[in-house]
Amino acid sequence: MALITLRRNLCHLSDFRMHGALAALRSQPVNHVHKVAKKRLCPRSCPLHLGPFKVRFHHARRKEFHSENGNDLRPVGEAMFSDRDSFEQNLENMDEQVFYRSLSNFTSSEEVLSFLSTLQTLPDVLAAGALQRICEMERKAEAHRLPKEILENRVFQALCIQFEQEPSNLSNTGLVTALQALTLLYVDPQSSLLLNLVAECQRRLQRGGLDVHSLCVLGETLIKLQGPESTTLDLIIYQLQGEKLENFAPEDIVALYRVLQACAEKADQHQAFLNRINNFSLSLVPNLSPKSISQVLTALVALDQTQALPLVLKLGKYAVRHIPHFTSEELGRVLDAFIYFGHHDRFFTTALEQRVASLCLTLAPEAVSRVMEYCSRKQILSQPILNAVAETFVCQAEKFSPRQVSELIEPFGKLNYLPPNASALFRKLEDMLFARFNSFPPKTLLKLLHSCSLIERHPVNFMAKIFSPYFLQQLQGEESCLDRLSLAQLTQLLLTSLLECPFYKGPKLHPKYQVKSFLTPCCSLETPVDFQLYKSVMVGLMDLLGARLYFASKVLTPYCYTIADVEIKLDEEGFVLPLTADEDVHRRIALCIDGPKRFCLNSRHLLGKEATKQRHLRLLGYQVVQIPYYEIETLTRLELVEYLQRKLFSQNAGVCW
C-alpha cells in the first residue's frame, strides 16, 4: 500500500530533501506549476497554487473500510474509539479505527486538513477516506465545488497530486474511494486527476483485478461520471454476475441494487441476476440500516420487481422497527414503494401514526404529502395521522407547494373525514386559494375543490371560476378534449351546486362538459357493486318479492348516478310495482349493496364518493336503503329474507305484491 507523507510544520519544508512529485514541481517555473494544477483538478474558475511539499511511499497492511451513511467512516466490522491522543505520527502503526472516528467527529474541511498536517505518513486508504470526508462536508454545505481555501491548502494538494501521479501504486480500495470522493462535488471531468484514476480503474477492471466491493463502488462512480450508458458499466455488471453472492457484504448488495437501478431500462437483460439477488437478499434484511432498506425498496420499484414480493414483505416487516429512525426523505421512499407494490401492514400503520403524531410539525412537506398519499391509496382512515396533518397545515400552510396542498387535502375527501379543526383547516385553505389561485395547475385545483365537496365543504366561492370558459380551456390544455375523470368531477360539482347550494347563482357548467354517467370502466366516481354480494341479495329479493320482475339494476338516473345495485318502485299505497311500470310510481327505493371496497380499509366508514352518492340520491327523492356487507355476509338464506323484509318494509308491514 502507498503511504502519503505529510510532514509537520509545512512552512519549513525547504529544510527537507525533495523527492518524487516535489522534485518534479520544484524543477518547473511557478507559472507552469499553476497551469498544470489547474488541469489536474479544478474547475476553470478555481486555479490551484501548488507550493513545495514532500511525498514519500511506504508499504503497509491494508484494511477495508465502509461508510454507511456518508459520515461514519470506519473499518468494516470493527468498533470505533474516540481517544484521539492515542494517535501516533506514523500511521503504519496507528489504529485506523481512531482515524475514522476522528474524521466523523470533525465538522469542517479545515479541521480535517489541520489534523492531517500533524501526521507524517498516511496510507492511501486513509488518505482516500479523508478526501471523501472533505468532499462530503463541502457537499452538505451545498457547495458545488471545493472552496479556494481548500484547493490552495498544501495538505489537500499533497493528497491530490499523489493520487494523480502514482495511481498504479494505490490499493483497490484507495483507488475507487478517491475516485468516488471526487464525484461528490463538481470536478472537471477532463482533469488529469480524474482521467488518471479512471484509466487505472479500467486497467484493473480489464485484468479482473477488482474485488466485489471495489466493483460496486466503481459502478456507482462511473454512473455519475459517464451515465448509465457507459460500456465499462456493462463489464462491471458482467463481472459481478460471475461472483458468488456469499462474497457480497450487505452494503455491497445495496450498492449493486443502486447500480442496476441506474440501468433500469436493461432490467429484462439482468432479470436472472436480479432473481438471484432478490432471493439472497432475504437473508440480509435483518442487517440492513434504515437508509439501506429505503434504497433497496426504491430500486425494486425502479426495476419493477413485482415478483419479489417475499422480499418486499420482509423489508416492510423490518421497516416497522425503523420508522422512528427514517429521515423524511427515506420515509417518503418507503411509502412510495408500499404504494407501488400494494403493501400495507397494520403494525406499520400503527408505527407510522406514532411517528407522524409526534413529529408531524418537523416532517418535511414532501414527507407529509407522501404519508397522506399512502393513506389515500390504501384507503386507510387513520385519525391520528389525519388530525396531525390537518394541524400541521393550519400552522405551516406556507411551506406547502400547490401540488403538496392538493395531496394533503384530497385524502380528507376520499376517506370522508373531517378533523376536529375542520373550520380552521378549510378557512386556511380558502385564504391560500384566494391568494395563490393562479399558481395551482388546473387539474390539481379541480381535484382539490372536488375533494372538498365530497365532505360537504363546497367551494362556492370558486365555482364561477372553474365553470368559466377560460379555466376550462386551461384545463384542456393542448389536448383535443378533456379526460373523462375531469369531466365527471366538473359534472358532480355542478350537481352539488344544484342540490346542496341552491343559493349559488353564478355561471353553470356548459352542457358539452357534462357527462351522462358517473359509472365508467376506469376513473369512476362510483364503486361498482360487489358481484358475489349482489348475487346473494338478488336471491333473497326474489324469495321476498316473488319474482325478478319486481326490481331492476343498472338504472341510470337523470342526474348521472347509476343505481347499479337495485331499484324498487312503489305506488302510493306502498305496493311494489313491476320494473317496467312508469306510471303511478309514488316512491323509489335505491338499494345500496355496499361491499368492502366502498368502505375505508378495515372499517365501516363509507368512502367520500359513496357517501356523496347516497346523500345526492336522497336529495333527488330516493329512499336510500343501505345493505352493508358486514350485516349480511354470515346470514342464511332464510335470515337474509327476514333481514331484507325489515330493511325495505319496516314502515309498511302489510305490503303486498
Side-chain angles (χ1 to χ4, degrees), residues 241-254:
Q241 288 178 356
E243 298 284 346
K244 294 182 178 179
L245 292 178
E246 290 75 11
N247 297 332
F248 287 68
E251 61 269 16
D252 296 330
I253 290 291
V254 177

Side-chain angles (χ1 to χ4, degrees), residues 36 64-66 134 144 185 213 219 232 250 447 468 533 536 552 586:
V36 172
E64 300 286 348
F65 76 98
H66 165 57
I134 291 170
H144 296 292
L185 293 173
H213 177 71
T232 306
K447 288 192 297 182
S468 70
L533 201 62
S536 298
H586 180 72

Side-chain angles (χ1 to χ4, degrees), residues 352-387:
L352 187 62
E353 288 175 342
Q354 295 171 353
R355 170 77 185 272
V356 173
S358 61
L359 297 175
C360 197
L361 290 175
T362 62
L363 284 177
E366 188 63 26
V368 174
S369 65
R370 291 280 75 76
V371 169
M372 292 299 280
E373 184 181 4
Y374 174 74
C375 291
S376 179
R377 292 282 191 94
K378 305 311 300 178
Q379 299 182 0
I380 299 172
L381 178 60
S382 170
Q383 294 187 14
I385 290 177
L386 295 175
N387 292 345

Side-chain angles (χ1 to χ4, degrees), residues 102-384:
S102 294
L103 285 184
S104 300
N105 291 334
F106 293 135
T107 58
S108 70
S109 302
E110 290 77 8
E111 289 182 12
V112 175
L113 293 169
S114 177
F115 165 63
L116 295 180
S117 69
T118 66
L119 307 175
Q120 286 187 339
T121 56
L122 188 63
D124 67 334
V125 173
L126 303 189
L131 182 62
Q132 185 179 50
R133 179 63 174 150
I134 291 170
C135 293
E136 284 171 348
M137 286 191 289
E138 295 302 326
R139 185 181 187 182
K140 286 186 177 180
E142 297 184 355
H144 296 292
R145 59 190 65 188
L146 289 168
K148 183 178 179 181
E149 296 77 15
I150 303 299
L151 293 171
E152 293 182 349
N153 184 284
R154 296 186 178 186
V155 178
F156 181 78
Q157 294 170 5
L159 291 175
C160 292
I161 198 169
Q162 187 61 61
F163 287 126
E164 176 192 358
Q165 292 189 345
E166 299 290 344
S168 60
N169 290 338
L170 299 174
S171 64
N172 286 340
T173 301
L175 177 65
V176 298
T177 303
L179 184 59
Q180 182 187 45
L182 293 172
T183 60
L184 294 175
L185 293 173
Y186 174 80
V187 175
D188 187 356
Q190 299 304 315
S191 66
S192 56
L193 174 56
L194 273 180
L195 291 176
N196 288 355
L197 291 176
V198 170
E200 178 61 26
C201 287
Q202 291 176 332
R203 281 193 291 270
R204 298 189 191 188
L205 182 64
Q206 294 290 343
R207 297 197 304 264
L210 293 178
D211 55 87
V212 164
H213 177 71
S214 298
L215 286 170
C216 293
V217 174
L218 180 59
E220 288 196 276
T221 304
L222 289 180
I223 289 169
K224 293 179 182 178
L225 287 175
Q226 304 173 358
E229 301 81 14
S230 169
T231 55
T232 306
L233 188 61
D234 293 334
L235 179 57
I236 291 174
I237 295 175
Y238 175 78
Q239 290 193 15
L240 287 169
Q241 288 178 356
E243 298 284 346
K244 294 182 178 179
L245 292 178
E246 290 75 11
N247 297 332
F248 287 68
E251 61 269 16
D252 296 330
I253 290 291
V254 177
L256 181 53
Y257 270 116
R258 293 194 297 263
V259 170
L260 293 172
Q261 176 187 345
C263 309
E265 67 281 355
K266 301 179 182 178
D268 292 342
Q269 302 176 22
H270 306 308
Q271 190 56 57
F273 187 35
L274 275 166
N275 291 339
R276 288 172 52 206
I277 300 170
N278 294 337
N279 292 331
F280 178 75
S281 298
L282 285 167
S283 62
L284 301 180
V285 172
N287 300 321
L288 296 181
S289 66
K291 180 177 181 180
S292 296
I293 286 177
S294 72
Q295 289 179 341
V296 172
L297 283 170
T298 300
L300 292 174
V301 170
L303 295 165
D304 191 29
Q305 295 298 289
T306 52
Q307 74 278 21
L309 286 180
L311 178 58
V312 173
L313 294 175
K314 193 164 186 179
L315 288 167
K317 175 183 175 182
Y318 280 87
V320 174
R321 308 179 184 184
H322 292 305
I323 280 185
H325 310 293
F326 284 124
T327 65
S328 293
E329 183 180 0
E330 291 164 0
L331 180 60
R333 290 175 179 173
V334 171
L335 293 172
D336 284 340
F338 287 174
I339 292 169
Y340 184 85
F341 290 110
H343 174 70
H344 64 85
D345 180 288
R346 63 187 178 91
F347 298 108
F348 180 83
T349 301
T350 300
L352 187 62
E353 288 175 342
Q354 295 171 353
R355 170 77 185 272
V356 173
S358 61
L359 297 175
C360 197
L361 290 175
T362 62
L363 284 177
E366 188 63 26
V368 174
S369 65
R370 291 280 75 76
V371 169
M372 292 299 280
E373 184 181 4
Y374 174 74
C375 291
S376 179
R377 292 282 191 94
K378 305 311 300 178
Q379 299 182 0
I380 299 172
L381 178 60
S382 170
Q383 294 187 14

Side-chain angles (χ1 to χ4, degrees), residues 191 582 599:
S191 66
D582 291 324
F599 296 88

